[in-house]
């Protein structure tokens, strides 16, 4: 009855983007940002309805190949849908007042809305090829975001950063496509619901291994997993604020979501074989990311490396193949989206004001000259550290808990070692974040900033954009049951456990 | 239970309101903060009064069950007798500190955030006290830690504050990782994270050495015990009222309180008890010795806190959670008093250095009188509170030494002997602090004055329990105070005091311990920090630099590789930089073609 709901959800931002392209230049220029807000607000409302009613759509698309236009949601995709629509809305609201130097607003808003279509589509797709198409759709808008509206002062320039991003992820996509084709053709269907229900039956052991490896490489690049992360710092450093927020907030989640939604349930034997490797790389990423953060000079680059560490926790949770670990991974996914989204909003604001994100050039004294921005940065840092009572804690804790008692076939001692190393990562993460606060927020301002008249604290408009994130980070920290009771039954089904 | 919820919510609301009001209505900041603490105090008095009236007051509140995929987490609160008493102590000190701060930090530009953090801290500590689920406890535990971090760094213009804040937070987080793993282990064994369920099932799972040791990591970090004690003396860079509340009376005692809550599990793990005894003895004596050589009055008190917390841990190690709780409560009173009195002194003379103090007895009579009460309690002179609780600890050690019990006999002897030696040193550093601050000639022409009423009253009010709380323990049949031990410890205390007094009378204007062998070593806390710097800090820095360098090389390498090996590809992609959408659409079309081709090939 409500089979039009999800297509509508995708159509609204798409039509918004198209409208901005076809409208006459002057008109588009005039309405662009406001139209963006209206469209993304409508999308958020629709995604709330979708999350609440869990409708589905299933019609034939390419009958010759057995590909269906199958869309649906459940307890693990709905939160990501809401996150996507929520962050996109915040980005468009931000663009009302805070705009990149290279204006071209209609195109910018259009690109953001197009990006939203791809992200939403990835989370609702129930057909492997459809999933792949949406997964690819995000690449072009993100490339434009970095290459057109990015910061050209980064080493090598913004276009190179954008190119590295797209080359890397296209390479991953190509490998992932092979995995998808292997599964779909061997199993005779691309339908994700059916493939999940089969849980790998009908796929030989070697097929499963090959398919999992291919999928995992594709998803791992997107996540990104150490050592395939090197596209991320450059892309983040160059990307404009909205690009960074959506990149860290949503795009990275597509990789881990794919692992949970596709790789674990459809080729479980491959998952079992490769899980220990995944776990080891995850933990390496946690420690490596934290150590790299300690060595960074650029604040945006630092937050990018912190993502490598945080996504390491997500991957560790997945690699345990336990409900608790995967629940934790999905929680950490969402929490990271909110918290790192907030961090990039804040760091973006700092960079816009000082025209640099270099720690040496920024110097200390943010608390002093911009108390509101400083306080928010402190809050986001503390949240990112995984403080209990804030959203970041539950996911990382459950990932570690999963490693404490991994899935049946996995070596307990091995995972205890991984857990312990990840635990030192927790301490290192604390260390680099308090170091950031020490270098940027505490202390006294450089004379050059004290003399600058244009440096103002967070504006009311910015506070309106950021405060919903703060509220959600606190709410998800105090009431973890909201997400966990939604994800737990789905995760059990995906892992082939009933009940 | 409603009362407990009010006690938790009042300071939380005060924190949020105070923070939001700060910039707009600065005058309301103090009333809001004081009101939050006052409401919390009134609320926690409800269960405590019922307890005093002789009622059984165990009450529970179940808010929600959180599925995790394995053992569920229950958002549960539970109040029992111990919790009710500790909650009252916390709320009392918190109120005293909020009132006192209004005088001590008058005119501070960041007063609103300061008061809000103290309020939030109060709520977090109360949450730790009433939590039934280990994860709920952990929330309070870590929120306390982060409040402590921000408050230690209150004077963030100063390098000392900044590095002390980092050190305090990172060191305690290190312990907390072990703590978290310990929680996993308990949950794994008992199938629940509920403290009271774990305790009631404890006899079914004796000998949980690893789980209890892991939990102990968190305790050692939070309660500043060896080897993670080094953050506490540095944390004195925070404002003095914060030192009184967080770094003396409450947060640092939370570690001890946790073991008290899980004590039935610990009692069945003799190895852990032995480890606790050794840690406690090292910390107890080492802390007291270091206190003997400090010149900063707050650092003397900080090392004294380290040493006194070790007494509490020692009581636990020899099988008496009651003696430990007793000492926790009296210590909360007298150490909060001592810090606030020290703050009063610092406020008056404008320095922390005892070398610059002296002769303040006549200039600050109220501070002098109340601090004397506090110091007498700390030294354990009868009839002040510390005497009874310290004797209860030594008495418990004596019991174990003589008759054995849950803990090994040797741990009893160890605690007893080291405890008695520490008593001597405690007497010495107490006498030194007292003499150098209040006696002799005033130095450097300091025009000291008594502090304002808003600071004096908290001192007077805290002096009452510091003097009298000990008598509350007299009626407890489970507390054992041996006559011989008491007399011996009293003699040793007086001997310690007399030694310092004699040295001081010879040269009243100098530090009586300056000539002590190894004075430099004691002043620097046995140079543990230097060791950690070499073993931990520098290697981490080196590793970070190595990773930073490697990543740059790898990225550069990858980029160069892309540049050389895939010039054609780069050029292809670079063509799209014209911003031409059709170029990309062509690419997309090519991709779809590839996809279809793949399908055809595979089928």
């Amino acid at each position: 009855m409500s089979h039009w709901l999800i297509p509508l959800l995708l159509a609204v931002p798409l039509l918004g983007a198209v409208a901005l392209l076809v409208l006459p230049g002057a008109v588009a220029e005039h309405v662009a940002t406001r139209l963006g807000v209206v469209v993304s607000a409508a999308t958020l409302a629709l995604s709330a309805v979708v999350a609440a009613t869990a409708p589905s759509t299933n019609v034939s698309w390419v009958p010759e190949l057995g590909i269906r236009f199958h869309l649906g949601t459940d307890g693990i995709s709905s939160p990501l849908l809401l996150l996507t629509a929520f962050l996109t809305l915040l980005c468009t609201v931000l663009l009302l007042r805070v705009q990149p130097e290279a204006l071209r607003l209609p195109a910018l808003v259009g690109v953001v809305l197009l990006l939203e279509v791809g992200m939403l589509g990835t989370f609702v797709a129930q057909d492997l090829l459809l999933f792949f198409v949406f997964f690819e759709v995000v690449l072009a808008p993100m490339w434009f975001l970095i290459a057109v509206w990015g910061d050209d002062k980064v080493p090598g320039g913004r276009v190179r950063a954008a190119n590295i991003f797209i080359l890397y992820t296209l390479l991953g996509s190509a490998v992932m496509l092979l995995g998808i084709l292997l599964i779909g053709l061997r199993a005779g269907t691309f339908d994700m619901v059916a493939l999940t229900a089969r849980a790998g039956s009908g796929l030989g052991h070697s097929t499963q291994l090959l398919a999992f490896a291919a999928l995992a490489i594709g998803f791992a690049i997107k996540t990104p997993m150490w050592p395939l992360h090197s596209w991320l710092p450059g892309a983040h450093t160059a990307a404009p604020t909205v690009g960074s927020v959506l990149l860290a907030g949503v795009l990275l989640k597509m990789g881990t979501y794919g692992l949970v939604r596709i790789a674990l349930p459809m080729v479980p034997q491959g998952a079992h074989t490769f899980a220990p490797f995944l776990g080891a790389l995850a933990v390496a990423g946690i420690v490596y990311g934290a150590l790299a953060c300690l060595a960074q000079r650029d604040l945006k680059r630092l937050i990018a490396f912190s993502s490598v560490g945080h996504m390491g926790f997500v991957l560790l949770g997945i690699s345990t193949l336990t409900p608790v670990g995967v629940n934790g991974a999905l929680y950490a996914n969402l929490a990271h989206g909110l918290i790192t989204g907030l961090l990039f909003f804040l760091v973006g604001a700092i960079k816009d004001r000082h025209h640099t994100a270099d720690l040496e050039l920024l110097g200390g004294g943010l608390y002093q000259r911009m108390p509101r921005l400083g306080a928010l940065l402190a809050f986001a840092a503390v949240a990112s550290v995984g403080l209990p009572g804030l959203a970041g804690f539950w996911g990382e804790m459950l990932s570690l808990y999963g490693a404490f008692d991994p899935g049946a076939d996995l070596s307990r001692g091995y995972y205890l070692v991984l857990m312990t190393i990840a635990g030192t990562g927790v301490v290192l993460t604390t260390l680099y974040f308090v170091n950031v606060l020490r270098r940027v927020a505490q202390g006294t301002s450089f004379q050059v900033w004290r003399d600058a008249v244009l440096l103002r604290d967070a504006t009311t408009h910015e506070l309106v954009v950021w405060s919903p994130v703060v509220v959600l980070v606190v709410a998800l920290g105090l009431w973890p049951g909201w997400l966990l009771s939604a994800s737990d039954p789905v995760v059990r089904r995906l892992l082939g456990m009933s009940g | 239970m409603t009362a407990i919820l009010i006690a938790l919510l009042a300071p939380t609301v005060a924190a949020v309101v105070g923070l939001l009001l700060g910039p707009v209505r600065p005058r309301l900041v103090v009333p809001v903060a004081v009101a939050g603490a006052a409401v919390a105090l009134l609320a926690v008095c409800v269960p405590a009064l019922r307890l005093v009236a002789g009622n059984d007051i165990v009450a529970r509140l179940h808010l929600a069950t959180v599925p995790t995929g394995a053992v569920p987490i229950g958002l549960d609160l539970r109040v029992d007798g111990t919790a009710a008493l500790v909650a009252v102590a916390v709320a009392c000190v918190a109120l005293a500190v909020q009132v006192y701060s209004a005088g001590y930090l008058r005119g501070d530009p960041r007063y609103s955030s300061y008061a809000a953090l103290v309020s939030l801290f109060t709520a977090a500590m109360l949450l730790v006290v009433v939590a039934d689920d280990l994860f709920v406890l952990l929330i309070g535990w870590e929120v306390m830690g982060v409040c402590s971090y921000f408050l230690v760094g209150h004077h963030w213009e100063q390098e000392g504050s900044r590095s002390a804040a980092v050190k305090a937070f990172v060191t305690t987080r290190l312990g907390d990782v072990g703590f978290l793993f310990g929680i996993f282990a308990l949950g794994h064994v008992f199938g629940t994270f509920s403290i009271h369920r774990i305790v009631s099932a404890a006899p079914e799972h004796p000998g949980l050495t690893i789980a209890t040791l892991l939990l102990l990591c968190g305790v050692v970090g939070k309660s500043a015990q060896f080897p993670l004690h080094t953050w506490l003396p540095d944390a004195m860079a925070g404002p003095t009222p914060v030192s009184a509340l967080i770094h003396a009376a409450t947060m640092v005692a939370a570690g001890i309180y946790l073991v008290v809550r899980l004590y039935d599990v610990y009692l069945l793990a003799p190895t852990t008890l032995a480890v606790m005894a050794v840690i406690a003895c090292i910390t107890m004596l080492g802390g007291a010795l270091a206190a003997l050589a400090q010149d900063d009055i707050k650092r003397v008190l900080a090392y004294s806190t380290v040493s006194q917390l070790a007494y509490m841990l020692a009581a636990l190690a020899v099988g008496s959670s009651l003696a430990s709780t007793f000492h926790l409560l009296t210590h909360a009173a007298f150490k909060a008093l001592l810090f606030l009195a020290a703050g009063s002194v610092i406020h008056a003379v404008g320095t922390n250095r005892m070398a610059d103090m002296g002769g303040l007895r006549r200039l600050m009579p109220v501070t002098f009188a109340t601090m004397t009460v506090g110091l007498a309690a700390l030294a354990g002179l009868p009839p002040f509170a510390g005497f009874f609780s310290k004797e209860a600890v030594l008495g418990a050690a004596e019991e174990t030494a003589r008759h054995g019990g849950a803990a090994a006999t040797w741990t009893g002897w160890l605690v007893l002997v080291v405890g008695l030696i520490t008593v001597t040193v405690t007497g010495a550093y107490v006498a030194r602090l007292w003499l150098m601050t209040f006696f002799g000639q005033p130095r450097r022409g300091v025009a000291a004055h008594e502090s304002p009423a808003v600071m004096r009253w908290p001192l007077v009010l805290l002096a009452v329990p510091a003097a009298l709380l000990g008598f509350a323990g007299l009626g407890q049949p489970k507390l054992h105070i041996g006559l011989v031990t008491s007399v011996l410890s009293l003699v040793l205390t007086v001997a310690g005091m007399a030694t310092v007094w004699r040295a001081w009378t010879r040269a009243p204007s100098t530090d009586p311990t300056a000539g002590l062998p190894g004075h430099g070593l004691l002043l620097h806390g046995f140079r543990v920090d230097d060791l950690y710097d070499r073993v931990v800090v520098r290697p981490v820095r080196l590793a970070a630099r190595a990773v930073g360098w490697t990543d740059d090389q790898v990225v550069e390498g990858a980029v160069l590789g892309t540049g050389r090996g895939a010039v054609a590809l780069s050029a292809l992609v670079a063509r799209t930089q014209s911003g031409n959408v059709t170029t990309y659409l062509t690419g997309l079309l090519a991709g779809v073609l590839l996809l279809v081709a793949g399908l055809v090939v595979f089928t």
Side-chain angles (χ1 to χ4, degrees):
Chain A
M1 50 170 196
S2 54
H3 55 268
W4 46 269
L5 255 177
I6 300 182
L8 185 66
L9 172 71
L10 300 173
V12 167
L14 184 63
L15 289 176
V18 171
L20 284 167
L21 281 179
V22 297
L23 279 176
V27 181
E29 198 75 47
H30 190 64
V31 299
T33 52
R34 273 172 286 169
L35 185 73
V37 173
V38 171
V39 169
S40 52
T43 312
L44 178 60
L46 267 173
S47 62
V49 175
V50 167
T53 57
S56 76
T57 305
N58 192 354
V59 292
S60 186
W61 186 29
V62 190
E64 293 78 10
L65 298 171
I67 305 172
R68 300 185 68 80
F69 195 71
H70 188 180
L71 305 170
T73 63
D74 58 20
I76 67 171
S77 48
S78 295
L80 287 164
L81 274 189
L82 290 169
L83 174 76
T84 306
F86 173 72
L87 286 178
T88 311
L89 174 62
L90 295 187
C91 284
T92 54
V93 174
L94 185 77
L95 286 176
L96 283 176
R97 294 267 175 88
V98 184
Q99 293 150 356
E101 282 164 19
L103 288 166
R104 298 207 213 169
L105 290 176
L108 175 59
V109 174
V111 161
V112 167
L113 292 177
L114 212 55
L115 189 61
E116 187 179 22
V117 176
M119 299 187 294
L120 293 173
T122 305
F123 297 131
V124 293
Q126 294 289 349
D127 182 282
L128 281 179
L129 289 171
L130 201 54
F131 174 89
F132 178 75
V133 169
F134 282 121
F135 200 86
E136 294 306 288
V137 161
V138 299
L139 294 181
M142 187 47 81
W143 185 87
F144 280 110
L145 269 181
I146 299 172
V148 178
W149 290 276
D151 172 12
D152 214 15
K153 280 180 287 183
V154 297
R158 59 189 175 209
V159 175
R160 196 178 76 157
N163 287 349
I164 291 175
F165 157 75
I166 210 157
L167 280 177
Y168 238 112
T169 41
L170 271 179
L171 178 72
S173 300
V175 181
M176 184 181 93
L177 181 61
L178 292 179
I180 284 177
L181 292 176
L182 191 59
I183 292 177
L185 296 174
R186 284 285 159 87
T189 176
F190 286 102
D191 191 81
M192 290 161 65
V193 178
L195 285 166
T196 304
R198 278 188 213 177
S201 65
L203 296 175
H205 188 69
S206 51
T207 309
Q208 291 210 20
L209 291 192
L210 202 60
F212 185 89
L215 290 170
I217 288 173
F219 292 135
I221 287 180
K222 197 76 160 194
T223 301
M225 179 182 76
W226 183 86
L228 304 173
H229 65 279
S230 49
W231 61 271
L232 186 73
H236 265 308
T237 318
T241 300
V242 289
S244 284
V245 168
L246 293 175
L247 181 58
V250 186
L251 253 66
L252 306 188
K253 276 77 220 173
M254 291 164 48
T256 43
Y257 172 79
L259 275 175
V260 174
R261 173 67 80 194
I262 297 174
L264 290 196
M266 296 180 194
V267 279
Q269 291 179 23
H272 266 108
T273 308
F274 284 110
F277 298 99
L278 196 62
L281 294 174
V283 167
I286 293 172
V287 175
Y288 186 94
L291 287 173
C293 281
L294 280 170
Q296 293 312 308
R297 273 187 59 150
D298 186 282
L299 203 47
K300 287 191 93 172
R301 216 174 147 78
L302 189 150
I303 308 294
F305 270 110
S306 88
S307 290
V308 176
H310 283 123
M311 296 315 278
F313 278 100
V314 177
L315 290 169
L316 175 65
I318 294 172
S319 81
T320 66
L321 304 179
T322 55
V324 61
V326 177
N327 277 328
L330 293 167
Y331 209 104
N333 229 7
L334 208 81
H336 176 261
L338 289 170
I339 295 168
T340 309
L342 179 63
L343 275 168
F344 274 117
F345 272 132
L346 298 171
V347 173
I350 292 172
K351 190 171 177 178
D352 286 348
R353 283 162 170 76
H354 300 86
H355 300 286
T356 180
D358 187 310
L359 288 170
E360 303 280 327
L361 298 177
L362 281 174
L366 199 66
Y367 285 158
Q368 193 180 46
R369 61 182 186 276
M370 303 176 186
R372 286 190 277 188
L373 196 51
L376 280 164
L377 183 70
F379 172 84
V382 165
S384 197
V385 156
L387 188 84
L390 298 176
F393 169 67
W394 298 105
E396 299 192 358
M397 182 277 285
L398 291 175
S399 288
L400 291 171
Y401 187 25
F404 182 78
D405 194 13
D409 301 355
L410 301 169
S411 153
R412 176 110 198 263
Y414 176 78
Y415 271 87
L416 285 179
V417 172
L418 293 187
M419 178 188 80
T420 311
I421 301 172
T424 62
V426 172
V427 181
L428 289 173
T429 305
T430 310
L431 182 63
Y432 73 73
F433 265 115
V434 290
N435 250 330
V436 167
L437 292 182
R438 181 182 179 165
R439 292 179 72 177
V440 179
Q442 300 181 322
T444 44
S445 298
F446 286 157
Q447 194 61 43
V448 52
W449 306 133
R450 267 184 264 169
D451 294 342
V453 258
L454 288 173
L455 283 181
R456 38 179 203 165
D457 200 354
T459 61
T460 313
H461 179 258
E462 284 170 324
L463 291 179
V464 167
V465 175
W466 300 335
S467 46
V469 190
V470 174
V471 171
L472 271 180
V473 168
V474 175
L476 287 177
L478 293 178
W479 221 253
W482 280 347
L483 272 183
L484 288 171
S485 41
S487 70
D488 191 43
V490 184
V491 165
R492 282 172 193 276
R493 201 175 64 234
L494 291 179
L495 288 173
M497 303 171 185
S498 50
Chain B
M1 253 0 259
T2 329
I4 293 302
L5 272 186
I6 292 173
L8 290 175
L9 286 176
T12 314
V13 171
V16 176
V17 171
L19 206 58
L20 296 178
L21 273 183
V24 203
R25 298 258 186 288
R27 277 198 195 161
L28 287 180
V29 168
V30 172
V32 165
V34 171
V39 171
L41 177 59
L42 287 177
V44 295
C45 280
V46 174
L49 286 176
R50 292 231 303 279
L51 179 75
V52 173
N55 295 318
D56 181 28
I57 58 148
V58 175
R60 278 186 217 120
L61 181 67
H62 176 72
L63 291 172
T65 304
V66 179
T68 64
V71 178
I73 296 168
L75 299 185
D76 292 331
L77 305 178
R78 185 173 185 272
V79 183
D80 58 13
T82 313
L85 291 178
V86 175
V88 171
V90 170
C92 275
V93 180
L95 180 59
V97 160
Q98 286 284 15
V99 172
Y100 180 96
S101 299
Y104 191 82
L105 287 166
R106 176 181 292 275
D108 188 289
R110 302 193 283 270
Y111 196 89
S112 63
S113 65
Y114 166 83
L117 283 166
V118 173
S119 294
L120 183 62
F121 170 83
T122 310
M125 180 70 200
L126 288 173
L127 184 63
V128 168
V129 174
V130 299
D132 183 44
D133 192 278
L134 285 166
F135 280 104
V136 178
L137 186 141
L138 189 67
I139 292 179
W141 181 273
E142 296 279 347
V143 172
M144 285 195 304
V146 82
C147 289
S148 157
Y149 159 74
F150 283 119
L151 287 167
V152 170
H154 180 76
H155 301 295
W156 37 250
E157 299 88 348
Q158 297 160 11
E159 172 54 29
S161 293
R162 292 199 290 270
S163 52
V166 169
K167 189 173 170 186
F169 198 37
V170 175
T171 312
T172 47
R173 286 281 283 185
L174 183 65
D176 292 347
V177 171
F179 187 65
L180 181 65
F181 295 164
I183 293 178
F184 292 161
L186 280 193
H188 188 67
V189 172
F190 289 95
T192 176
F193 294 115
S194 155
I195 293 174
H196 85 270
R197 286 207 198 108
I198 288 174
V199 167
S200 56
E204 297 159 29
H205 304 281
L208 292 175
T209 306
I210 292 175
T212 47
L213 280 178
L214 284 170
L215 287 169
L216 193 64
C217 293
V219 174
V220 162
K222 210 67 160 184
S223 291
Q225 299 295 293
F226 176 82
L228 296 181
H229 63 285
T230 58
W231 65 271
L232 188 62
D234 286 14
M236 296 300 120
T240 310
V242 166
S243 311
L245 175 65
I246 300 182
H247 304 121
T250 57
M251 182 183 86
V252 289
I256 304 296
Y257 178 75
L258 176 90
V259 182
V260 171
R261 288 298 294 265
L262 287 170
Y263 202 50
D264 288 2
V265 181
Y266 274 85
L267 273 180
L268 296 170
T271 317
T272 309
L273 289 180
V275 172
M276 277 159 65
V278 172
I279 289 176
C281 287
I282 296 173
T283 317
M284 184 190 293
L285 186 56
L289 285 172
L292 198 55
Q294 303 305 312
D295 184 37
D296 183 325
I297 188 168
K298 286 183 71 183
R299 283 181 82 90
V300 176
L301 294 177
Y303 273 114
S304 148
T305 304
V306 167
S307 172
Q308 294 296 310
L309 288 165
Y311 271 103
M312 300 172 208
L313 191 67
L316 293 169
V318 295
S320 177
S321 73
L322 196 62
S324 185
T325 313
F326 189 26
H327 199 54
L328 188 158
L329 291 170
T330 62
H331 179 260
F334 70 70
K335 193 51 73 64
L337 167 64
L338 281 172
F339 267 110
L340 293 187
S344 174
V345 168
I346 294 165
H347 193 65
V349 299
T351 173
N352 288 14
R353 300 190 57 215
M354 295 199 296
D356 295 337
M357 296 172 186
L360 296 174
R361 180 172 36 124
R362 290 183 201 291
L363 300 170
M364 310 181 71
V366 177
T367 305
F368 170 65
T370 51
M371 192 152 192
T372 305
V373 171
L375 287 172
L378 169 60
L381 295 178
F384 298 97
F387 169 74
F388 295 96
S389 54
K390 182 201 65 194
E391 289 310 322
V393 174
L394 294 176
E398 192 189 335
E399 278 287 288
T400 299
R402 288 222 194 123
H403 311 297
T409 316
W410 66 267
T411 59
W413 284 114
L414 182 70
V415 168
L416 188 61
V417 171
V418 177
L420 283 171
I421 299 171
T422 308
V423 160
T424 320
V425 185
T426 307
Y429 74 70
V430 161
R432 173 173 171 268
L433 189 153
W434 196 57
L435 292 169
M436 285 183 74
T437 310
F438 293 107
F439 290 85
Q441 294 302 313
R443 254 147 274 177
R444 285 214 295 180
V446 178
H449 51 85
E450 185 57 271
S451 296
V454 72
M455 287 169 65
R456 283 199 309 271
W457 276 107
L459 294 183
V460 174
L461 290 179
L462 280 172
V464 176
L468 302 177
L469 196 58
F471 293 104
L474 282 184
Q476 289 290 342
K478 282 192 208 158
L479 287 181
H480 169 88
I481 298 183
L483 187 64
V484 180
T485 317
S486 301
V487 171
L488 190 60
S489 79
L490 198 58
V491 168
L492 288 170
T493 308
V494 174
M497 290 175 157
T499 317
V500 167
W501 188 74
R502 279 186 52 201
W504 181 78
T505 44
R506 260 182 252 133
S509 59
T510 57
D511 182 348
T513 57
L516 217 61
H519 180 267
L521 192 67
L522 296 185
L523 183 64
H524 295 104
F526 300 93
R527 303 199 191 278
V528 179
D529 275 330
D530 297 350
L531 179 72
Y532 290 170
D533 186 57
R534 224 164 282 163
V535 180
V536 183
V537 178
R538 280 187 222 174
V540 168
R541 240 179 244 158
L542 205 68
R545 225 171 288 151
V547 164
W549 182 83
T550 315
D551 209 80
D552 285 347
Q553 296 309 110
V554 169
V555 172
E556 274 318 297
V559 170
L560 285 179
T562 327
R564 282 198 202 112
V567 172
L569 247 179
S570 315
L572 236 169
V573 179
R575 227 172 265 162
T576 48
Q577 94 186 39
S578 55
N580 191 343
V581 184
T582 42
T583 316
Y584 187 79
L585 285 180
T586 318
L588 201 67
L589 193 70
V592 173
L593 279 176
L594 195 82
L595 208 157
V596 176
L599 282 172
V600 173
V601 171
F602 270 93
T603 42

